[in-house]
Amino acid sequence: MPQRVLPRHLGIIMDGNGRWAKKRGLPRSAGHVAGAKVFKTIVRYCSRIGIEYLTVYAFSTENWKRPQEEVSSLMSLFKTYLRDALDNFLSENVKVRFLGDTSVFDPQLRELIQKVTEVSANRTGMVLNIALNYGGRAEIARAVQLLAKDVQNGLLKPEEITEELISSKLYTAGQPDPDLIIRPSGENRISNFLLWQSAYSEYLVMDILWPDFTTKDLEYAFDVYASRNRRFGGV
Ligand code: FPP
């Protein structure tokens, strides 16, 4: 049987934790805990089947608007996950990167982010990008600021700014654009996720809440992806 085409770079908008919890009469934070378990399973699975880049949307620049209690519970969950990654994830050959402005987090979380980045920096397996305090627009604005500084310092002429140069100033610099973006929970929105990078990504909305998502659902998404005919604007 011919080898199925897998996406090199997969993006996931992990959505539906709140609704999953509500359906069960649980607090929203319980949905995030269940979502974090699924996240771990999916990371391991992707790494084992040979996905090269996995980008997950964990906390957006807009998520600060949520009730304080929910934001705190998410922050604790990120800390728990990162501690766990330091203790138990050492055998996984996964390189962890963070996309977004992480300078605003509390010192404990910032330190964990730094440690996990450092400890995994030389790993050669899958790159796991965790988007934390990430927004596609904020990312593009930041890239424009970096380029404007280069122009100001005489290092660059405005007409030398190309698409490639803009890409090189994004958090995902040096990585291929996502081939497939999955959004569970049935919402048909991009929600400020990888705006620049997703210009030609295949997009798949799935009618399942993230805490219910399994490797079977992921396999289904890969089958859909393999059956699509990507034309990148050509014929
Ligand atoms: C969206 O669901 C989900 C989030 C804002 C948080 C995603 C975080 C996790 C899955 C936790 C694990 C992540 C790491 C990196 C440990 P929602 O709350 O918007 O759900 P709703 O649309 O049903 O309300």
Side-chain angles (χ1 to χ4, degrees):
M1 219 172 72
Q3 271 259 310
R4 184 180 50 160
V5 190
L6 279 178
R8 264 188 90 191
H9 186 167
L10 169 69
I12 306 181
I13 301 178
M14 304 184 290
D15 194 15
N17 298 346
R19 275 163 286 171
W20 182 93
K22 196 170 171 205
K23 266 183 21 188
R24 288 164 177 73
L26 297 169
R28 292 176 59 83
S29 56
H32 296 311
V33 171
K37 277 203 191 113
V38 172
F39 160 74
K40 280 204 247 180
T41 306
I42 296 299
V43 169
R44 282 216 166 83
Y45 189 75
C46 285
S47 149
R48 284 176 190 172
I49 63 169
I51 297 294
E52 291 177 57
Y53 299 86
L54 171 64
T55 303
V56 293
Y57 208 1
F59 194 83
S60 77
T61 45
E62 289 72 38
N63 286 153
W64 297 107
K65 292 185 213 147
R66 295 187 173 206
Q68 178 54 39
E69 198 185 282
E70 183 175 350
V71 172
S72 320
S73 76
L74 276 167
M75 295 301 140
S76 318
L77 199 57
F78 298 146
K79 286 179 199 170
T80 307
Y81 170 75
L82 294 179
R83 278 193 203 105
D84 183 51
L86 284 173
D87 296 340
N88 302 315
F89 218 61
L90 295 171
S91 58
E92 297 283 328
N93 190 18
V94 173
K95 177 170 175 157
V96 186
R97 309 267 324 258
F98 294 86
L99 316 183
D101 178 9
T102 54
S103 70
V104 299
F105 293 124
D106 72 43
Q108 248 185 354
L109 183 52
R110 285 205 318 262
E111 198 188 322
L112 283 164
I113 287 173
Q114 200 191 336
K115 271 200 184 140
V116 170
T117 308
E118 277 170 18
V119 164
S120 70
N122 294 323
R123 296 202 189 139
T124 52
M126 183 177 83
V127 173
L128 168 64
N129 295 314
I130 303 180
L132 269 189
N133 192 26
Y134 172 88
R137 286 186 172 186
E139 180 184 37
I140 294 168
R142 175 179 169 271
V144 171
Q145 284 181 10
L146 294 171
L147 289 168
K149 277 187 194 136
D150 284 350
V151 171
Q152 194 176 37
N153 295 331
L155 299 169
L156 187 68
K157 295 195 185 93
E159 58 275 20
E160 287 169 349
I161 297 175
T162 57
E163 292 185 14
E164 289 71 29
L165 205 55
I166 294 175
S167 294
S168 76
K169 300 290 184 190
L170 301 177
Y171 293 117
T172 49
Q175 303 186 9
D177 286 338
D179 302 292
L180 172 67
I181 295 180
I182 303 174
R183 180 160 195 161
S185 97
E187 301 288 357
N188 262 294
R189 277 189 296 278
I190 196 77
S191 297
N192 210 4
F193 185 54
L194 302 178
L195 290 185
W196 177 273
Q197 299 89 331
S198 65
Y200 289 104
S201 303
E202 294 295 321
Y203 191 62
L204 180 65
V205 172
M206 297 177 75
D207 215 357
I208 179 163
L209 303 173
W210 176 249
D212 289 327
F213 195 89
T214 65
T215 54
K216 275 212 176 73
D217 298 305
L218 190 60
E219 282 297 330
Y220 167 79
F222 290 151
D223 285 343
V224 172
Y225 172 76
S227 73
R228 290 202 189 162
N229 175 12
R230 301 183 76 195
R231 291 189 295 277
F232 297 95
V235 287

